[in-house]
Amino acid sequence: MKNIPKKITVLFLASNPIDQVQLRLDEEAREISEMIRKAKHRDAVKLESCWALQPMDLLQSLNDFDPTIVHFSGHGSDDDEIVFQAQDGTAKLVSKEAIVQTMMASSENIRLVFFNTCYSNNQAEAVSQFVDATIGMNTSIGDEAARIFSSQFYSSIGFGLSVAKAFQQAKALVMMEGIPEENTPQLFIKDGLNADEIILVQP
């Protein structure tokens, strides 16, 4: 019998408050889902999602889905905050320290955290103390670049490539599309690990 890849869960967490510039997060989720479906080991990757993310939803979702990859999609602030939603649909800022504490308390099976939000470099670097790999943005990132980068990254992961290769291929696609934002995403690796050896879907 041929080996069956270990199944992983990608948890897509989306926040698009009504008082912020509206992002096409549904398009990002759709493209990620489509690219995973086309990947060689598509049956090994399960995509779950949580929309209109409120603070109370984060731990609930982490405990419920026990993800391998946590993906934040939405807005970030230049004060190292992630923009969640309040109950009335408006923006609620969550500090870097709160995100780090949450990931630290939930990191047993999480191997990668992807902050597809503006100004998330510092969050990603801080969380990389507790998980194998993180991705963050060193400045603001356009909607299209964020969507293209993330969808190709998960496609590459679904083909069994390493985190390093997936990151480089995602950057390459942004460049081929003529979007000058390939240097915005940053990859951080936990001390002692090698990004070329971190493979999340293994045939």
Side-chain angles (χ1 to χ4, degrees):
M1 295 178 64
K2 68 177 183 179
N3 292 327
I4 299 174
K6 178 183 176 182
K7 199 171 187 72
I8 68 169
T9 297
V10 178
L11 177 58
F12 184 91
L13 301 166
S15 177
N16 205 10
I18 58 176
D19 57 348
Q20 301 289 303
V21 174
Q22 291 301 288
L23 302 172
R24 295 168 60 190
L25 305 187
D26 55 340
E27 285 295 310
E28 182 185 356
R30 186 195 67 78
E31 288 190 25
I32 289 173
S33 178
E34 183 70 10
M35 293 295 269
I36 289 173
R37 190 184 65 79
K38 294 177 180 177
K40 183 177 182 180
H41 303 304
R42 58 185 174 273
D43 293 335
V45 185
K46 184 179 183 182
L47 181 65
E48 299 284 1
S49 59
C50 178
W51 295 86
L53 182 70
Q54 297 181 30
M56 70 179 69
D57 299 327
L58 180 53
L59 283 168
Q60 176 69 33
S61 297
L62 293 172
N63 291 337
D64 191 14
F65 297 116
D66 192 24
T68 307
I69 300 175
V70 178
H71 181 104
F72 290 93
S73 185
H75 292 280
S77 82
D78 53 9
D79 288 324
D80 297 339
E81 297 155 323
I82 293 182
V83 183
F84 284 50
Q85 290 183 211
Q87 290 188 353
D88 63 358
T90 59
K92 183 176 180 62
L93 300 178
V94 175
S95 70
K96 178 186 75 174
E97 291 75 18
I99 294 296
V100 170
Q101 174 66 27
T102 301
M103 293 299 110
M104 182 182 70
S106 311
S107 62
E108 184 174 349
N109 294 314
I110 298 170
R111 299 197 61 198
L112 185 142
V113 180
F114 190 147
F115 294 95
N116 207 14
T117 58
C118 298
Y119 307 109
S120 50
N121 207 52
N122 291 337
Q123 291 100 315
E125 185 174 20
V127 172
S128 69
Q129 300 174 64
F130 307 105
V131 300
D132 292 356
T134 59
I135 295 171
M137 306 299 159
N138 60 22
T139 185
S140 61
I141 185 166
D143 216 8
E144 186 178 11
R147 189 167 65 251
I148 290 170
F149 181 88
S150 62
S151 60
Q152 180 57 51
F153 179 82
Y154 289 112
S155 172
S156 302
I157 290 294
F159 275 98
L161 301 184
S162 69
V163 167
K165 288 286 188 184
F167 184 80
Q168 292 301 325
Q169 287 195 353
K171 287 182 64 171
L173 184 56
V174 171
M175 295 172 72
M176 286 192 288
E177 291 288 355
I179 303 171
E181 298 182 60
E182 72 276 5
N183 292 320
T184 299
Q186 300 292 307
L187 175 64
F188 297 91
I189 302 298
K190 189 177 183 179
D191 286 347
L193 299 182
N194 184 338
D196 289 305
E197 297 174 355
I198 302 174
I199 298 173
L200 303 179
V201 172
Q202 299 199 33

